[in-house]
Amino acid sequence: YPVQEVNIMREFCILITETLSRPVMVKAETQEEAEQKAVTAYYSCEVVLDASDFVDVNFETQDSDAVDRMSEEDKQRLKYVK
């Protein structure tokens, strides 16, 4: 009889990281003040980056214990791909 090969499916945790970037013009007296104004505008949703600001994507395989170390919020957002 021929030997039947069995493929065992394993689970891998792949972290997908997207980078978004948008230049903004800020009037300020110093670079530090300009950066602070940009930070404030970002966190107050005056500047909201979206898909049109996409510049890069990275795929990184995490170690086998990555899911165990995730926060409950991240575990709830976890997607399964067949």
Side-chain angles (χ1 to χ4, degrees), residues 3-49:
V3 176
Q4 186 175 9
E5 189 173 311
V6 177
N7 290 330
I8 298 174
M9 300 297 284
R10 297 169 38 204
E11 287 188 338
F12 296 89
C13 182
I14 311 297
L15 181 64
I16 303 172
T17 303
E18 288 186 339
T19 302
L20 307 178
S21 180
R22 177 187 300 177
V24 295
M25 296 301 295
V26 179
K27 288 186 179 184
E29 291 183 13
T30 65
Q31 178 181 341
E32 292 78 15
E33 180 186 2
E35 289 175 358
Q36 185 55 53
K37 285 183 173 184
V39 168
T40 299
Y42 176 80
Y43 284 109
S44 67
C45 297
E46 183 180 338
V47 176
V48 178
L49 281 64

Side-chain angles (χ1 to χ4, degrees), residues 45-60:
C45 297
E46 183 180 338
V47 176
V48 178
L49 281 64
D50 59 31
S52 68
D53 299 306
F54 174 85
V55 293
D56 192 26
V57 64
N58 184 48
F59 300 86
E60 180 183 346

